[in-house]
Amino acid sequence: MKRLSRTQGILVFYLFDLALLLLLVISFMPFMKKGRPVSRDTALLNPSSKEKALRIVLSKKEDDGLFRRKVTLERTGGIWLGFSSDGNDEFLWPADIQSVERLLDLSCSIVKSYEKSKSRKDWGAFGLKEKDAFSLSFYDSSGKDLSSLYFGGEDSLTNRIYVRSSAEDTVYEIDDAIAAFLNVEESFWADPFIYPQCLTGLARQEADAHLRRGRLENVRPREGLAVDYREKIYFGNGAVISFNIYKKNQLFIVIPTLTPGPAASEPERKAIESINYRYSISGTTLERLLEECRQAE
């Protein structure tokens, strides 16, 4: 019988070890597959429902747990308006068109979702109990619920956010791009310009060259309080803004009255004329506003 050389023996030994290693890997494959998270492609809002979404409601529990702050966004024609619980749903403001459209785009985008749990018993661990989670809902013109979602905590390792639909128990994990828009600050959602885009019709790049407001102020001047400044400015599309301005400490409170141009549809006209918000500006911004109003006379 021919004896193996030392080199051949080592080769046979390594081949034997390799075969054992392959058998070990094959034996673990079912467990590896089982441990892999189940994923699927999905969208938070059916893309076919994007144009049907005329009302968006966002709400979040306050830290004391006794109150939920809420922002409501509503579309009329081509414009978005909003109101919030901060103003007792009383003050109507023009919404930031780009922010609302970005929220809709993100909600309708197809994303990879990873299944985390199928049991509602686990909702608390993911911050997804209804009373604790951030709520985002879309409705059509009849008030029909197009999609209602609850967002919980974030996974620090994957930078994904936990989410579930009100229609099922399953908890998923998705990319956190939408997290920046899970916001109930009305100043975040309101049009940032003193001359709002819904009135001027300006594109964002053009609007960016104009004056910006300060924070929204849900206040009413006391009865009989004298107006410090009354101003008016006209725009090329026939729209007009009248300003009543009151001094308050180091700031000024502006109460604008918006009158749309003749090209606005009747529903848009009524919506714009119903806007009754107010906001603060600095003394420097006031000076620039007064100068622009006088130059436009």
Side-chain angles (χ1 to χ4, degrees):
M1 181 176 179
K2 185 178 180 180
R3 297 180 60 184
L4 297 174
S5 67
R6 177 182 174 83
T7 301
Q8 290 172 325
I10 293 174
L11 180 60
V12 170
F13 177 77
Y14 279 124
L15 288 173
F16 181 73
D17 278 355
L18 180 60
L20 288 178
L21 180 61
L22 288 172
L23 286 173
L24 184 64
V25 170
I26 291 171
S27 68
F28 273 98
M29 283 183 68
F31 298 99
M32 293 168 65
K33 186 175 181 181
K34 185 176 180 181
R36 191 177 302 158
V38 178
S39 66
R40 67 173 185 174
D41 292 332
T42 188
L44 300 175
L45 175 65
N46 191 316
S48 65
S49 296
K50 181 180 178 180
E51 294 304 317
K52 299 176 185 176
L54 300 185
R55 188 167 184 255
I56 304 172
V57 179
L58 307 97
S59 71
K60 176 186 177 183
K61 182 185 74 171
E62 282 291 79
D63 293 337
D64 60 13
L66 302 177
F67 177 70
R68 287 189 74 85
R69 294 177 70 190
K70 182 176 69 172
V71 167
T72 302
L73 305 167
E74 295 184 342
R75 178 159 68 90
T76 299
I79 65 173
W80 284 90
L81 304 182
F83 53 90
S84 83
S85 58
D86 287 359
N88 295 318
D89 297 338
E90 179 183 356
F91 299 103
L92 191 67
W93 31 265
D96 183 350
I97 300 169
Q98 287 75 29
S99 293
V100 179
E101 288 299 323
R102 180 59 178 155
L103 171 63
L104 284 167
D105 287 342
L106 286 171
S107 299
C108 292
S109 297
I110 303 300
V111 296
K112 187 75 73 178
S113 62
Y114 301 87
E115 186 179 298
K116 301 297 291 184
S117 171
K118 287 188 174 182
S119 174
R120 62 172 55 203
K121 291 181 180 179
D122 294 331
W123 286 359
F126 294 104
L128 286 172
K129 288 186 176 180
E130 187 172 342
K131 65 181 181 66
D132 300 321
F134 189 103
S135 172
L136 170 63
S137 299
F138 301 89
Y139 302 91
D140 67 11
S141 59
S142 68
K144 178 185 175 183
D145 185 345
L146 299 175
S147 178
S148 283
L149 305 154
Y150 294 98
F151 296 87
E154 292 188 41
D155 188 320
S156 59
L157 295 178
T158 62
N159 289 324
R160 300 189 191 114
I161 190 170
Y162 303 124
V163 61
R164 69 175 176 87
S165 165
S166 64
E168 57 179 300
D169 295 342
T170 307
V171 174
Y172 295 97
E173 189 180 72
I174 63 169
D175 181 79
D176 69 350
I178 198 170
F181 294 87
L182 302 182
N183 193 315
V184 291
E185 295 292 338
E186 57 185 8
S187 285
F188 174 87
W189 289 108
D191 183 296
F193 305 109
I194 287 180
Y195 314 140
Q197 287 178 273
C198 68
L199 188 77
T200 64
L202 296 177
R204 185 56 179 248
Q205 188 174 2
E206 295 176 282
D208 277 334
H210 292 287
L211 296 172
R212 290 175 175 257
R213 59 164 175 80
R215 60 168 291 161
L216 299 192
E217 302 283 351
N218 297 311
V219 296
R220 290 188 180 280
R222 70 174 186 272
E223 187 175 351
L225 181 65
V227 178
D228 291 287
Y229 301 91
R230 295 183 191 273
E231 298 294 337
K232 184 177 291 187
I233 191 165
Y234 298 84
F235 301 92
N237 64 353
V240 183
I241 306 181
S242 299
F243 300 100
N244 282 351
I245 304 172
Y246 301 83
K247 183 172 175 54
K248 183 181 180 182
N249 300 323
Q250 301 303 311
L251 296 175
F252 295 86
I253 304 300
V254 180
I255 302 180
T257 299
L258 281 58
T259 303
S265 67
E266 188 59 26
E268 290 176 342
R269 172 176 291 277
K270 289 181 179 179
I272 291 172
E273 289 177 345
S274 67
I275 290 172
N276 64 341
Y277 72 140
R278 50 283 324 266
Y279 50 81
S280 61
I281 59 173
S282 66
T284 301
T285 301
L286 173 65
E287 290 178 6
R288 293 181 60 190
L289 175 59
L290 295 177
E291 181 180 352
E292 290 185 4
C293 289
R294 287 159 189 164
Q295 287 177 349
E297 290 178 352

